[in-house]
C-alpha cells in the first residue's frame, strides 16, 4: 500500500471506527488492523497520533461542507434572499444532509456530534478551518432576527448550530443502525420537517417572560 493510500485508508477507517465506538475507545492497534498495515508506526507517521487523525477527519469534513455551502450562499446573495430565514437555514443544513447519503459521510456527522461540546456553539466552529460561507449565513440570520434583543439572537443562533449537529448525528446513527428494508422516514420528509422545525423555533416571537429574563445592560 502506497503512502497516500495508507493515509486515505486511515482517514476512512478511522472515521468509521470513531463513529461506531467513540474516539477514546479506539486503539492504535485497531486502526492499523482495520487498514491491514504491517507497520504499526503508520498512524504516527501520517498524523502524529490519534488526535492528529481526528483533527484531519474533522478538517476534511468541515472543508467539504463549506465547499458545498459556498454555491448555496452565492445563490442566496444573487437572488437577494439574505433576509429569508428558510433559505438561510437550508444553506446550513443541505450540505450536512448530503453526508447522510454515504457511509463515510454519516460517520463524519456522528463524529462531529460526539465531539461538539455545548460551548463551541458560542465560538467559531472547532477553530480548524475558515468558513466564510457559513459565517455569511450566520451574519444574515443575525440581521434577520434583528427585531429580537441581541442576547436572544445570539442564543438562538447557538441553539441552531447545536440542533443541526446533534440532529444530523442522530439521523446518521439511525440510518446506520436501521434493519434492512426498514429505514426511518424518507430523506425528503426528514429534510423538510427539519427545516420547518428549525425555522419556526428560530423566528418564534419572544414571550414576555423570556424578554423579562434578559439582563439589563
Amino acid at each position: 500500500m502506497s503512502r497516500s493510500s495508507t493515509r486515505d485508508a486511515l482517514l476512512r477507517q478511522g472515521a468509521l471506527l470513531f463513529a461506531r465506538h467513540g474516539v477514546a475507545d479506539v486503539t492504535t492497534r485497531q486502526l492499523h488492523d482495520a487498514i491491514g498495515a504491517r507497520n504499526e508506526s503508520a498512524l504516527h507517521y501520517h498524523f502524529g497520533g490519534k488526535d492528529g487523525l481526528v483533527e484531519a477527519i474533522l478538517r476534511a469534513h468541515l472543508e467539504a461542507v463549506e465547499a458545498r455551502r459556498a454555491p448555496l450562499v452565492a445563490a442566496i446573495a444573487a437572488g437577494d434572499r439574505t433576509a429569508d430565514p428558510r433559505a438561510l437555514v437550508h444553506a446550513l443544513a443541505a450540505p450536512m444532509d448530503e453526508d447522510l447519503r454515504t457511509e463515510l459521510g454519516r460517520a463524519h456527522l456522528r463524529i462531529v456530534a460526539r465531539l461538539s461540546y455545548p460551548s463551541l456553539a458560542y465560538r467559531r466552529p472547532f477553530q480548524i478551518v475558515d468558513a466564510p460561507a457559513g459565517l455569511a449565513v450566520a451574519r444574515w440570520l443575525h440581521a434577520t432576527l434583528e427585531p429580537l434583543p441581541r442576547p436572544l439572537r445570539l442564543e438562538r443562533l447557538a441553539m441552531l448550530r447545536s440542533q443541526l449537529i446533534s440532529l444530523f448525528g442522530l439521523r446518521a446513527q439511525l440510518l446506520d443502525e436501521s434493519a434492512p428494508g426498514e429505514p426511518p422516514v424518507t430523506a425528503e420528509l426528514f429534510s423538510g420537517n427539519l427545516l420547518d422545525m428549525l425555522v419556526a423555533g428560530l423566528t418564534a416571537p419572544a414571550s414576555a417572560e423570556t424578554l423579562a429574563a434578559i439582563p439589563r445592560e
Side-chain angles (χ1 to χ4, degrees):
M1 186 180 291
S2 68
R3 290 180 177 179
S4 60
S5 60
T6 297
R7 187 180 190 279
D8 291 343
L10 281 168
L11 285 169
R12 178 179 178 82
Q13 295 303 322
L16 296 176
L17 286 170
F18 294 150
R20 192 175 303 124
H21 304 295
V23 173
D25 291 334
V26 175
T27 66
T28 300
R29 171 64 64 83
Q30 285 175 302
L31 289 166
H32 285 120
D33 287 348
I35 66 170
R38 287 177 289 182
N39 183 354
E40 292 198 3
S41 66
L43 177 64
H44 187 270
Y45 175 81
H46 288 285
F47 300 102
K50 189 165 69 171
D51 288 346
L53 175 58
V54 173
E55 181 173 331
I57 290 169
L58 290 175
R59 181 187 297 276
H61 168 74
L62 294 172
E63 287 177 346
V65 167
E66 176 68 7
R68 293 194 292 265
R69 183 171 290 137
L72 299 177
V73 169
I76 288 172
D80 196 22
R81 302 181 66 193
T82 59
D84 181 346
R86 189 177 181 86
L88 296 176
V89 175
H90 175 265
L92 294 177
M96 301 171 71
D97 189 81
E98 191 170 329
D99 274 327
L100 292 173
R101 304 174 191 174
T102 66
E103 182 183 31
L104 184 59
R106 292 192 297 273
H108 287 170
L109 292 173
R110 293 176 68 176
I111 293 170
V112 171
R114 282 179 177 270
L115 299 181
S116 181
Y117 299 102
S119 64
L120 288 172
Y122 297 89
R123 303 200 300 271
R124 288 188 64 182
F126 293 100
Q127 302 290 320
I128 292 179
V129 299
D130 289 329
L135 292 174
V137 174
R139 287 195 299 270
W140 292 335
L141 279 172
H142 196 274
T144 300
L145 299 176
E146 193 166 341
L148 296 172
R150 187 173 187 277
L152 193 52
R153 280 180 274 159
L154 294 175
E155 182 67 7
R156 289 194 180 186
L157 291 178
M159 288 180 176
L160 175 65
R161 179 186 179 276
S162 294
Q163 287 174 315
L164 283 166
I165 289 173
S166 62
L167 291 173
F168 273 109
L170 289 171
R171 174 72 175 178
Q173 182 179 358
L174 187 61
L175 290 171
D176 284 338
E177 298 177 359
S178 294
E182 295 184 2
V185 297
T186 65
E188 293 77 11
L189 179 56
F190 168 78
S191 300
N193 191 51
L194 179 67
L195 284 180
D196 290 344
M197 183 187 72
L198 294 177
V199 173
L202 192 66
T203 60
S207 67
E209 291 82 1
T210 298
L211 292 174
I214 297 175
R216 295 182 179 180
E217 296 183 357

